[in-house]
Amino acid sequence: MEIKINLNNLKFRYEVYQLFNVYFPMKEIKFIGTEEAEYIFYIDEKILRFEYKNYYKEESLGEDIKNSLRRFLFLCLKDITNDIYPWGILIGIRPSKIALKLIKDGNTEEEVIEIFKEKYLAHEDKARLCIDVAKAEERIVNKDKNNIAIYIGMAFCPTKCLYCSFTSNPISVHKKMVMPYLEALVKEIRGMNEYIKEKNLNIESVYFGGGTPTSVSDKEFMMVMNEIYNNFIMNNSIKEFTVECGRPDTLSYNKLKAMKDCKVDRISINPQTMNDKTLKLIGRTHSSQDIKEKFYMAREFGFDDINMDIIIGLPGEGHEDMMNTKNELIKLKPDSITVHGLALKRGSRMYEEFILKKGIQITSQDEIIKMYDESRKLAENLGLSPYYMYRQKNMVGNLENLGYAKEGKECIYNIQMIEERQTTIALGAAAVSKVIFLEEDRLERFPNLKDLHEYITRIDEMIEKKKKLLDTLY
């Protein structure tokens, strides 16, 4: 389906496109001439006018031109579709930053809420959420340039999930590349550790993600864990060491023991859903029962900081499915949960194979809002509070990804990544380092090569280039 728009002033094409994309996700949006257009949006120095079939609306253009036309168009599209989008015209990645700035500028919380409602047409609950998240982030966010985070990326997964667009290579197809990759990763770990010691930098958190770190064999996993421990953990007083276990079908007794021996204090076991039919559809080779068994095994090892991720809007899921996931997680009692809205990414198999070829239906807006409400009730039941949030393009429902945690169990790495106030040295294929210049309020990125062969053969080059960029700060 195409959305055909006639816009007389293409200077505002970006703003108009963004709002149509909220109400008509995954539709092709075209700007064309008046004769073929379904939607006509006219903007001049004084007037805003919108026409669609028998619908007509006109009002004066406000002094804040972009926000004025956004509000006008948002309300017109709301009239036409009857869909509710609680974030209003806010489309940025980190809306909590707006709340934090308003509070720092001297506004009370109630004044911040009114600004969100009037200026951005956001609902009160979203404004309050931004305030809560802003307060949590402000307590933890970095203020010292010598504090850094370390990210280590595993480039393999047991299978590629339907919705995934990350760099993750199915391990069955790339078995011969595993050991060469791990050897290159070890070389990068050692090389960057030398630099960190030389510059006397303070490692605050270490995050081993991917991909799926536990997708390799027990022996291979232990090899990498020992390297991480010896180089980044053993002689440093770090605050947090996280490993994404992700897929329970890759988690074993030996891997849990290796993590415990290497002082991992936070792990993530990610069901995404507790409904077996959905797990099968999205390409996961495990059941909800496997999730429970591995969760309890981790508890027996003494892991008292376990996160669980869930995704709202997975294909075929509705409110009842979310209720089941909620009830199962209440029984497990994780220490934190991360609630993701399904992002419909064009690089994923779900978009290419299901939405384009099989015409899979996206969950309705009403249903998505109900499911998010259940996730909020889940967090309340578990005694968890919101502590970090970000938004993505093409998320179902145009809502948010939200982390909830028990007090003291907030993921430091997550907050630093979202706030972008701490340098992150990232290791592994496709891992992106971020060098933060606090005094200048800017950052520079250095992406490692994505291709496995290129990463392996050019590892020395990447280490040296990363050091060269870091030298501009240190």
Side-chain angles (χ1 to χ4, degrees):
M1 178 183 169
E2 292 180 347
I3 303 297
K4 299 174 182 177
I5 308 163
N6 175 249
L7 176 64
N8 72 310
N9 190 340
L10 292 176
K11 176 184 175 182
F12 301 107
R13 176 179 177 147
Y14 179 69
E15 287 78 17
V16 173
Y17 177 91
Q18 285 178 322
L19 286 170
F20 269 92
N21 195 47
V22 167
Y23 279 91
F24 303 103
M26 306 312 290
K27 302 290 190 292
E28 188 174 356
I29 297 167
K30 287 186 174 181
F31 292 90
I32 60 174
T34 310
E35 290 182 5
E36 297 178 36
E38 299 172 280
Y39 303 86
I40 297 172
F41 190 23
Y42 177 82
I43 306 165
D44 69 15
E45 293 178 356
K46 296 181 179 179
I47 295 294
L48 295 167
R49 186 169 66 244
F50 185 86
E51 298 177 44
Y52 171 71
K53 296 182 179 178
N54 296 324
Y55 180 87
Y56 179 92
K57 190 171 184 178
E58 185 178 296
E59 71 175 40
S60 299
L61 181 63
E63 290 182 12
D64 183 351
I65 295 172
K66 288 187 177 180
N67 274 334
S68 178
L69 72 87
R70 283 180 180 133
R71 284 192 296 269
F72 175 75
L73 181 55
F74 181 87
L75 293 172
C76 288
L77 294 174
K78 181 182 177 183
D79 288 343
I80 290 166
T81 63
N82 292 316
D83 285 337
I84 303 297
Y85 289 95
W87 282 107
I89 64 171
L90 286 169
I91 52 170
I93 296 171
R94 291 179 286 275
S96 58
K97 282 195 171 185
I98 298 172
L100 183 59
K101 185 179 185 305
L102 288 168
I103 290 169
K104 284 185 172 181
D105 287 345
N107 292 283
T108 66
E109 290 187 11
E110 292 306 315
E111 286 169 339
V112 171
I113 290 166
E114 285 306 307
I115 291 169
F116 267 70
K117 288 161 68 175
E118 292 177 16
K119 184 175 181 179
Y120 303 114
L121 303 180
H123 290 196
E124 182 172 335
D125 63 322
K126 297 305 178 191
R128 291 193 184 279
L129 177 61
C130 283
I131 292 168
D132 290 344
V133 169
K135 287 178 176 177
E137 289 178 344
E138 184 65 7
R139 289 198 309 271
I140 296 172
V141 71
N142 180 58
K143 297 175 179 68
D144 183 346
K145 77 170 189 176
N146 287 326
N147 288 339
I148 64 167
I150 301 289
Y151 175 83
I152 301 108
M154 179 64 76
F156 305 100
C157 276
T159 57
K160 188 158 185 171
C161 293
L162 189 66
Y163 51 79
C164 182
S165 64
F166 293 133
T167 300
S168 56
N169 305 282
I171 202 160
S172 58
V173 180
H174 297 88
K175 271 190 182 287
K176 291 181 180 178
M177 300 292 284
V178 173
M179 188 49 72
Y181 176 81
L182 297 184
E183 288 169 353
L185 183 60
V186 166
K187 191 170 193 179
E188 194 176 15
I189 288 170
R190 292 177 180 177
M192 295 317 300
N193 181 46
E194 287 174 9
Y195 183 88
I196 290 164
K197 283 183 176 177
E198 177 190 324
K199 300 294 183 180
N200 197 29
L201 303 179
N202 176 52
I203 302 171
E204 188 177 51
S205 64
V206 176
Y207 195 102
F208 189 11
T212 307
T214 49
S215 60
V216 296
S217 71
D218 288 0
K219 185 178 179 181
E220 290 162 341
F221 181 74
M222 199 171 296
M223 179 188 92
V224 180
M225 287 300 300
N226 285 334
E227 288 293 333
I228 295 171
Y229 177 78
N230 292 336
N231 287 276
F232 299 137
I233 309 298
M234 184 167 59
N235 296 315
N236 295 294
S237 301
I238 71 161
K239 292 181 180 178
E240 176 183 273
F241 183 10
T242 298
V243 177
E244 275 189 14
C245 304
R247 301 274 291 265
D249 45 327
T250 66
L251 195 52
S252 66
Y253 177 95
N254 289 334
K255 284 170 183 162
L256 284 165
K257 185 176 186 305
M259 286 186 277
K260 203 66 183 171
D261 290 346
C262 291
K263 311 300 181 189
V264 173
D265 51 16
R266 182 179 182 275
I267 64 173
S268 196
I269 300 174
N270 300 331
Q272 314 304 8
T273 175
M274 293 298 281
N275 298 290
D276 288 336
K277 62 178 176 62
T278 313
L279 288 169
K280 186 176 180 181
L281 177 63
I282 65 176
R284 294 213 157 202
T285 53
H286 64 81
S287 67
S288 56
Q289 185 59 35
D290 294 329
I291 296 164
K292 297 173 192 176
E293 288 174 4
K294 296 302 169 63
F295 183 92
Y296 289 127
M297 185 188 292
R299 283 293 199 221
E300 287 171 9
F301 262 97
F303 286 101
D304 61 358
D305 194 350
I306 303 178
N307 174 75
M308 301 188 91
D309 285 9
I310 58 175
I311 297 178
I312 289 176
L314 287 169
E317 287 213 340
H319 182 238
E320 289 301 314
D321 301 286
M322 180 61 205
M323 286 284 289
N324 181 59
T325 295
K326 180 189 82 170
N327 292 334
E328 291 299 325
L329 263 59
I330 286 171
K331 295 174 191 173
L332 292 174
K333 296 183 173 59
D335 306 285
S336 61
I337 58 170
T338 308
V339 180
H340 296 273
L342 179 66
L344 301 166
K345 298 176 182 177
R346 283 176 166 80
S348 67
R349 282 198 305 120
M350 185 169 68
Y351 178 77
E352 299 296 334
E353 295 179 17
F354 279 71
I355 291 175
L356 287 185
K357 295 178 184 176
K358 299 183 182 179
I360 192 170
Q361 291 297 308
I362 298 169
T363 310
S364 73
Q365 183 65 11
D366 286 347
E367 203 79 349
I368 290 292
I369 289 173
K370 288 179 187 175
M371 293 166 81
Y372 264 91
D373 193 48
E374 291 301 336
S375 70
R376 180 185 56 78
K377 291 174 183 175
L378 165 63
E380 287 177 357
N381 190 289
L382 294 171
L384 313 180
S385 300
Y387 75 96
Y388 96 109
M389 171 176 57
Y390 67 100
R391 302 179 69 214
Q392 292 171 276
K393 291 180 180 178
N394 297 325
M395 285 179 65
V396 292
N398 192 43
L399 290 169
E400 70 275 347
N401 300 318
L402 186 59
Y404 295 93
K406 290 179 181 175
E407 188 175 348
K409 298 290 177 73
E410 300 90 349
C411 179
I412 295 168
Y413 175 83
N414 282 343
I415 289 177
Q416 306 298 9
M417 280 297 293
I418 291 302
E419 285 293 308
E420 294 184 330
R421 301 290 293 166
Q422 183 177 85
T423 291
T424 301
I425 298 176
L427 319 175
V432 181
S433 296
K434 294 180 182 180
V435 180
I436 308 296
F437 299 81
L438 281 173
E439 292 177 3
E440 301 168 44
D441 194 24
R442 70 180 178 91
L443 66 85
E444 289 194 29
R445 292 176 170 84
F446 180 82
N448 277 358
L449 294 163
K450 291 183 180 182
D451 180 81
L452 291 178
H453 179 74
E454 289 286 296
Y455 172 78
I456 291 163
T457 56
R458 296 171 61 184
I459 187 64
D460 292 320
E461 174 191 334
M462 279 178 286
I463 292 169
E464 290 311 309
K465 283 186 175 179
K466 205 164 1 230
K467 288 180 179 179
K468 192 172 179 180
L469 173 57
L470 287 161
D471 279 340
T472 63
L473 177 61
Y474 300 113

